[in-house]
Amino acid sequence: LINIQGLKFFQKSKFFQFDSDKHIQLPNNFEFINPQNINEFKNFIINKKLIGIKSFNNDLSGTKINFLLKRYKVELIQIANIGNVQFGPKIISGTILKGVYHKLNKIFFHKLNVLLSNLNLVPKIEIKFLTNSKIFKITQKKNIFNNMKFSIVKKHLLINSNAFDLLKEQKIKLHENKIVLLDEMLNADEYKKFGKETDEKKIEIHYLNLNKILKNLSKTYRKDVVICLHPKDNMGLKKKYFPNFELVQFKTKEMIFEAFLVLFFESSAIIDAILVKKRIVTLVSNALDKNQIDYSQHYIKQVGINKIDIDKKFLINEDEFLIKLNNAKKNYTNYIESYIVCDGDNLGYKKIINTVKERFFK
């Protein structure tokens, strides 16, 4: 594992102490490299053959790192095995400067890297492993772009998602003991880059309405509520917003497998719930920005998941609502086959390992 922060423009690398973080446990055969500058990176990489798993963007700083990787002949692979669909964020009204910066730093430099890779100045991705069967089909079509191999990726391989791998290997038992909420970080940095910060009054109303919905569902279906927080979320703050419910962090998968019902705003973790065909409801609120709402709409349209607007009065008929949720599960199959389990019964991680061995280490 190589921390590339110290190789970016205008940044110094922080030294991560993995041993002191109980949530991150590296296997015994892992080594963590933390170069503070290019010279330290050069001293590490000299006389080594490296196959890199690329996990950084082709922005301005990423372009600099790509030049370094080409100079030291690092061959790259990429793994996109979450099973969710990636969206480009939209620029929200009143944030034009942020939009210009985003387009310049992300879109322009990505296209620049594609061009540089075709000029052999930065490395191409030797193999990209992906679970999105629709994108995979596009890469296999015969057209000028694919035939001339202008893509930054040399070869695409379809694999099953890591959610499928986990479920199949660990033989996880499913239960229906809890109502689980995958809570949203309203003012997360990734959203503030493209929009305005949500004001405190909206946030207060948001959590007031959310608590009412959760209490109503808990009483109706006689299930305890568990709130799952994002790993970067503030547990202390969320305890103030949810004084009457259990909060957990770093246990989202386990809670989903225990769920009678899963509620969420926008989260890639919902892939686990779709895969095991849990009852799912998408929540919307006036406190969400346009990008958060658009992301959640994808699951409503593509998966057929039901929606609750927490700012509107919501009356639950126990039996009717349950029938609605159960009927919605019939729509999951197409989404699962398109984005989550699209390579038969094969374990995705084993296909990655076998392919890398055959391609690079024979």
Side-chain angles (χ1 to χ4, degrees):
L1 288 178
I2 303 176
N3 177 22
I4 63 170
Q5 294 302 314
L7 308 179
K8 291 185 174 182
F9 286 117
F10 316 119
Q11 294 193 47
K12 288 188 176 180
S13 177
K14 293 181 180 179
F15 187 81
F16 293 100
Q17 293 283 0
F18 279 107
D19 293 341
S20 65
D21 192 332
K22 64 181 180 180
H23 301 298
I24 302 174
Q25 296 181 349
L26 294 180
N28 293 330
N29 62 342
F30 268 57
E31 183 179 0
F32 178 64
I33 307 300
N34 197 55
Q36 300 297 302
N37 51 54
I38 292 174
N39 285 332
E40 289 188 14
F41 176 72
K42 178 181 176 181
N43 291 336
F44 161 73
I45 205 170
I46 196 166
N47 295 326
K48 290 184 176 70
K49 176 186 177 180
L50 287 191
I51 310 302
I53 302 174
K54 186 178 179 183
S55 186
F56 60 87
N57 294 322
N58 287 328
D59 53 14
L60 175 59
S61 290
T63 303
K64 175 188 174 183
I65 296 164
N66 280 331
F67 277 117
L68 284 173
L69 297 177
K70 182 65 179 181
R71 184 190 307 172
Y72 297 111
K73 299 180 181 178
V74 177
E75 295 183 279
L76 297 174
I77 66 170
Q78 200 166 41
I79 301 172
N81 66 340
I82 302 300
N84 63 329
V85 179
Q86 296 292 321
F87 298 95
K90 295 178 181 177
I91 307 308
I92 297 171
S93 177
T95 59
I96 301 300
L97 289 178
K98 291 181 179 180
V100 171
Y101 174 79
H102 166 71
K103 287 183 180 296
L104 179 65
N105 197 36
K106 300 288 185 182
I107 300 174
F108 171 77
F109 279 104
H110 174 74
K111 290 182 178 180
L112 176 63
N113 275 271
V114 174
L115 174 62
L116 293 173
S117 73
N118 284 291
L119 295 174
N120 202 32
L121 297 175
V122 302
K124 289 197 173 194
I125 306 296
E126 299 294 325
I127 305 171
K128 180 171 182 177
F129 300 92
L130 72 165
T131 62
N132 190 321
S133 64
K134 293 187 177 180
I135 290 179
F136 178 76
K137 288 175 183 176
I138 292 171
T139 67
Q140 305 306 300
K141 283 185 178 179
K142 292 184 178 181
N143 55 45
I144 293 175
F145 187 83
N146 289 337
N147 291 346
M148 297 298 291
K149 302 188 183 302
F150 287 144
S151 172
I152 199 169
V153 179
K154 290 184 178 180
K155 183 177 183 179
H156 292 81
L157 278 182
L158 204 58
I159 60 170
N160 286 326
S161 69
N162 58 358
F164 170 81
D165 290 355
L166 177 70
L167 195 67
K168 183 178 178 182
E169 284 240 307
Q170 296 191 7
K171 295 181 173 59
I172 292 168
K173 292 183 179 179
L174 304 176
H175 303 280
E176 295 192 346
N177 304 325
K178 307 174 189 298
I179 292 172
V180 175
L181 168 68
L182 312 183
D183 194 38
E184 181 76 341
M185 294 172 63
L186 292 177
N187 279 324
D189 290 340
E190 63 183 287
Y191 297 120
K192 287 193 289 185
K193 287 178 183 177
F194 311 103
K196 298 177 181 178
E197 189 166 331
T198 306
D199 64 68
E200 287 298 322
K201 186 62 178 175
K202 274 190 175 182
I203 292 175
E204 287 178 16
I205 295 172
H206 170 90
Y207 282 107
L208 179 67
N209 292 336
L210 183 54
N211 274 277
K212 286 180 182 178
I213 290 284
L214 294 174
K215 288 176 183 176
N216 194 353
L217 288 168
S218 179
K219 182 179 179 181
T220 301
Y221 293 109
R222 298 165 292 281
K223 306 285 183 182
D224 291 335
V225 172
V226 178
I227 315 293
C228 292
L229 303 183
H230 190 279
K232 294 181 181 179
D233 212 337
N234 186 325
M235 174 68 81
L237 177 63
K238 286 301 173 72
K239 282 182 178 179
K240 294 179 183 178
Y241 289 139
F242 296 110
N244 301 311
F245 299 120
E246 178 186 357
L247 276 74
V248 299
Q249 213 163 10
F250 308 103
K251 292 184 178 179
T252 300
K253 283 183 182 287
E254 294 93 322
M255 292 300 105
I256 287 174
F257 296 144
E258 294 278 334
F260 165 80
L261 169 64
V262 180
L263 307 159
F264 81 112
F265 292 94
E266 192 286 316
S267 172
S268 60
I270 201 63
I271 293 302
D272 293 293
I274 296 171
L275 176 59
V276 296
K277 296 192 174 181
K278 291 290 183 176
R279 302 176 188 92
I280 304 171
V281 172
T282 301
L283 302 177
V284 295
S285 157
N286 288 331
L288 302 178
D289 75 15
K290 181 170 175 48
N291 283 311
Q292 289 169 307
I293 293 172
D294 285 351
Y295 295 164
S296 67
Q297 289 295 318
H298 162 76
Y299 295 103
I300 295 170
K301 294 174 182 177
Q302 298 295 321
V303 192
I305 290 171
N306 287 285
K307 177 182 77 171
I308 295 177
D309 186 336
I310 68 171
D311 295 309
K312 296 179 180 178
K313 192 171 182 179
F314 179 66
L315 299 175
I316 302 175
N317 179 298
E318 180 178 353
D319 294 329
E320 286 182 9
F321 190 56
L322 197 60
I323 291 170
K324 231 174 137 181
L325 294 174
N326 287 335
N327 286 338
K329 292 195 287 184
K330 299 172 185 176
N331 301 319
Y332 295 4
T333 301
N334 183 59
Y335 192 89
I336 292 170
E337 292 176 352
S338 296
Y339 301 109
I340 306 174
V341 186
C342 43
D343 188 35
D345 203 39
N346 301 309
L347 288 166
Y349 82 90
K350 284 193 175 181
K351 187 169 182 177
I352 293 170
I353 292 170
N354 293 336
T355 303
V356 170
K357 280 183 177 180
E358 183 178 344
R359 167 65 178 79
F360 299 104
F361 297 106
K362 256 192 169 183

